[in-house]
Amino acid sequence: MQLGNRERENAPVEPRLFGQAAHSRSALVVPISAARWLLVLVLLAGVYFFHGFVVPVLAAVVIGFASWPVYRRLLQAVNGNRTLAATIALVSVVAFIVVPISLAAVYAVDEVRDWLVWAVATNENGAPVPAWLTTIPVAGSWLGEQWVKYVGHPGALGELVQLVSGSNIGNIYRGVLVIGASAFQSFLTLLFMLITLFFVYRDGQSFSKQLDHLGERIFPMRWERLSRVVPLTISSTVTGMGIIAIGEGIVLGVAYWLAGVPSPVTLGIITGIMALVPGGAPLCFTLVSIYLVASGSPIHGVALFTWGTTELFIVDKTLRPRLVGGPIKLPFLPTFFGLVGGVKTMGFLGLFVGPVLMALLVAIWREWLHEVTTQPEPTVNPISRVDISVK
């Protein structure tokens, strides 16, 4: 039996254990403010617990953005089967990117270990000045004096390393051995990256739609332009800088091997890394060519310099304008800062993530600057304008 309104109002009220009713008290924290602080705490907790996965997730996102045009064609070829297309794309990434880089890294670690063994032995006993070093035109005698000062006597190389890096050469050697022994951790990072990349391929389109809905609420006037600039920027940056750098490292590394240069794999990797910076690749093969000429192989040195110059001319005039597209072309200084900052923060992955983040910052800056400079001037209502010439 239900009570009427008057009887419900006159019904006795039982005393509350915790004071007055909620509707008669003011809230200590506004509900919307509490919800916002709770959201911030949840986000901070997520960053704290999952910050170890930032590197593989960023790597997967960068690779996914860069290869998305090719993946879209693959998706059309398999009649829209996203799981099959993601599987084929992931196998292709492993076969053409992961495996070659892993093999090159293994050879490079062996060569670097040989360098460090030589450095430790030289630090203990010293080393005489190489004959080819003093034969270099103009700077040969000065280089010989510097060799005697910093390398020639026992302990000199350790003092030089400690002066430059603040670490002893023995500590550096042990650190390299530890890096070589931490292959399992690198394998786990690679595994997490591949798993994330699979879901980026499979669910990337639906996730991008969700980001569009959220971005339109946060940046209602700018999101449409920023959301188109960001993928094109990442794709053009990774494609233009990454593929060209890897190609130059491989081509010049093979040239080093044919010319008989010691440690051609390591020098090829260094050349590829330096190719990310404008002028880095020419500096590398020029120094190697000078070494060949000074060490008694002038024909090989001249041939290497000629081949490097020709290859660089072909890349800069034909391949680079086609691969490096999109709305952003980074100048030298942002590229250098992105490269150094990325390596310092994320290691090898920072070679690609750093310039990409710098490209995004430059893209956002240019978009805001374009919006400010192209903003129309405010119009003046002719009715409200007072004509002071009429008296």
Side-chain angles (χ1 to χ4, degrees):
M1 181 177 179
Q2 299 180 353
L3 298 177
N5 294 333
R6 185 179 298 275
E7 294 176 353
R8 188 180 296 109
E9 293 176 357
N10 295 330
V13 179
E14 297 183 0
R16 295 174 57 87
L17 296 178
F18 299 100
Q20 298 178 352
H23 61 82
S24 62
R25 290 183 287 121
S26 60
L28 181 62
V29 180
V30 182
I32 185 65
S33 178
R36 291 174 179 174
W37 280 107
L38 181 61
L39 178 61
V40 171
L41 291 177
V42 170
L43 292 177
L44 291 178
V47 171
Y48 175 76
F49 284 103
F50 302 108
H51 69 277
F53 298 95
V54 172
V55 172
V57 169
L58 282 178
V61 171
V62 169
I63 295 175
F65 271 123
S67 58
W68 194 259
V70 180
Y71 173 74
R72 187 178 300 171
R73 298 178 183 177
L74 177 61
L75 188 62
Q76 295 176 356
V78 296
N79 298 324
N81 192 337
R82 299 186 180 276
T83 303
L84 179 60
T87 304
I88 296 175
L90 189 64
V91 172
S92 301
V93 169
V94 172
F96 295 103
I97 298 179
V98 176
V99 173
I101 291 179
S102 301
L103 293 177
V106 170
Y107 281 103
V109 167
D110 291 336
E111 294 177 354
V112 171
R113 185 181 290 113
D114 295 337
W115 289 5
L116 291 175
V117 170
W118 174 86
V120 171
T122 302
N123 185 59
E124 293 178 356
N125 305 317
V129 181
W132 61 267
L133 189 64
T134 57
T135 60
I136 297 178
V138 180
S141 59
W142 180 82
L143 292 175
E145 295 175 358
Q146 300 303 315
W147 182 280
V148 173
K149 182 179 179 180
Y150 294 108
V151 183
H153 62 276
L157 192 59
E159 296 174 359
L160 177 63
V161 171
Q162 189 170 6
L163 179 64
V164 174
S165 63
S167 301
N168 195 344
I169 188 171
N171 295 332
I172 295 177
Y173 178 72
R174 287 188 291 270
V176 172
L177 294 180
V178 170
I179 292 175
S182 62
F184 181 71
Q185 184 177 0
S186 301
F187 174 76
L188 288 180
T189 302
L190 178 63
L191 181 62
F192 291 147
M193 185 202 73
L194 294 177
I195 293 174
T196 307
L197 182 60
F198 174 80
F199 288 99
V200 167
Y201 282 137
R202 197 189 69 172
D203 303 325
Q205 187 172 1
S206 61
F207 184 68
S208 64
K209 293 180 179 179
Q210 298 175 11
L211 283 180
D212 284 338
H213 290 300
L214 183 62
E216 289 173 358
R217 295 292 301 271
I218 300 176
F219 303 104
M221 302 299 295
R222 298 188 179 96
W223 179 253
E224 184 177 358
R225 298 179 64 182
L226 290 178
S227 62
R228 302 300 176 262
V229 168
V230 169
L232 292 176
T233 300
I234 295 178
S235 179
S236 62
T237 303
V238 175
T239 302
M241 299 178 61
I243 293 181
I244 292 178
I246 292 174
E248 289 187 357
I250 293 174
V251 172
L252 291 175
V254 173
Y256 297 156
W257 175 70
L258 293 176
V261 180
S263 304
V265 176
T266 304
L267 291 177
I269 293 176
I270 294 175
T271 303
I273 294 173
M274 291 298 295
L276 295 172
V277 181
L283 177 63
C284 289
F285 70 74
T286 301
L287 293 177
V288 175
S289 301
I290 294 175
Y291 162 76
L292 288 174
V293 173
S295 60
S297 302
I299 298 177
H300 292 169
V302 173
L304 177 62
F305 182 78
T306 305
W307 168 250
T309 305
T310 305
E311 180 265 340
L312 190 65
F313 177 80
I314 295 174
V315 169
D316 288 341
K317 297 300 181 181
T318 59
L319 295 179
R320 192 182 297 272
R322 295 184 180 181
L323 293 178
V324 182
I328 290 295
K329 292 182 180 180
L330 284 179
F332 171 78
L333 192 60
T335 302
F336 181 75
F337 285 162
L339 178 65
V340 176
V343 172
K344 185 178 179 181
T345 305
M346 297 183 178
F348 178 76
L349 179 62
L351 293 174
F352 301 97
V353 176
V356 165
L357 293 179
M358 185 60 69
L360 293 181
L361 293 177
V362 174
I364 294 174
W365 169 258
R366 290 179 179 176
E367 285 297 314
W368 283 345
L369 186 63
H370 175 74
E371 183 178 352
V372 171
T373 55
T374 58
Q375 187 175 4
E377 298 181 358
T379 58
V380 180
N381 191 356
I383 300 178
S384 61
R385 182 181 299 171
V386 179
D387 190 358
I388 60 176
S389 61
V390 179
K391 297 182 180 180

